Amino acid sequence: MANRTDPTAKNIRGTNPQNLVEKILRSKIYQHTYWKEQCFGLTAETLVDKAMELDHLGGTYGGNRKPTPFMCLVMKMLQIQPEKDIVVEFIKNEDYKYVRVLGAFYLRLTGTDIDVYRYLEPLYNDYRKLRQKLTDGKFSLTHMDEVIDELLTKDYSCDIAMPRIKKRWTLETLAALEPRKSVLEDDFEEEEEREENEQLDGLDNGADERDHYHERSPARERDRDRDRDRDRDRRRDSHRHRDRDYDRDYDKDYDRERGRGRERDRDRDRDRYRLRDERDYGHDREREREREGRERERRDRDRGRRRSHSRSRSRSRDRKRHAHSSSPKRRGDGAEEPKKKKKKEKKERKDDGTDHPDPEIAEANKLRASLGLKPLK
């Protein structure tokens, strides 16, 4: 019964108010000691006392993700659903800054779009320091305006998903919300008027009487006042629609960056294809050179074989001619000399390696013999 929502509470955004907190975080809050001891039986009146005791804000921390007292009080407000006037008083409280943050956080979860902008935007002028507990259990320093900006612009805050709200310029277009007026707008207008007056005084001092009279004519004064009012209105509109221009510029920058990313991807693909084509072209050229080298070697080898064959045929013809030309008598008289010559020639052929059975090696030995090198075996 202690964890159930008040029966008189209304649904927020079509669901139970406690369902705005994720189930895991909700179960951790129910099991926490602070929830069981300090938040039991709290009402809208007694909740203020507990809120005044807060000294930091945050979501969950530590290895087991313990919830902070701030988150337990937010859960208690979702459970009892205090009235809107009480929440507004929380936000308007200037003495206790953590009470103000608690009311602003609860209104951001449960309030309408118009109420969120109407009650939270004035808190941009609050620059007081706040202690925030990080996920590792350490504390960091932040400010009230930073927390409010996080509630209005971010999707997550204190480990809770913020409900979606409309853009401010959309509500201004629908006439549901007045344009936001900056606190410094009056100071800007006074500064601009002072600069314009100084410029006009400088022009008046440097002009002659005729130009001075012409410049100070009633018609000229009316035109100058009309231009001054028009410039002031234009500057005021630019200040009012700053958020809208920021969103549009952000969308344009996003589209531009996405287009640049696509161009970079196309260039990268083009370079990749070009490198691959160049690599394939290089491989083709290498294969072509290897094929040409093999064909050249084959032609040289065939040419060597033909030369060796023709040389052997010419030698056989010379032997036959010498045999026919020599007579038996002379062959008998000088029998020892041809034998010596044959042995000498055979020894020389064996030494230079030109009579090798492989015609390629014989051709190479012949070339090496002409260069004075040793023959190949």
Side-chain angles (χ1 to χ4, degrees), residues 289-300:
R289 292 194 195 97
E290 293 177 357
R291 189 182 303 108
E292 292 177 357
R294 287 194 298 269
E295 292 179 357
R296 192 180 301 110
E297 292 177 357
R298 189 182 301 109
R299 287 195 299 269
D300 295 339

Side-chain angles (χ1 to χ4, degrees), residues 85-107:
D85 297 337
I86 298 176
V87 179
V88 173
E89 290 299 328
F90 277 25
I91 297 174
K92 292 182 179 180
N93 192 334
E94 297 181 357
D95 298 331
Y96 298 94
K97 50 189 177 182
Y98 292 102
V99 175
R100 170 173 282 188
V101 175
L102 183 64
F105 196 91
Y106 176 77
L107 183 65

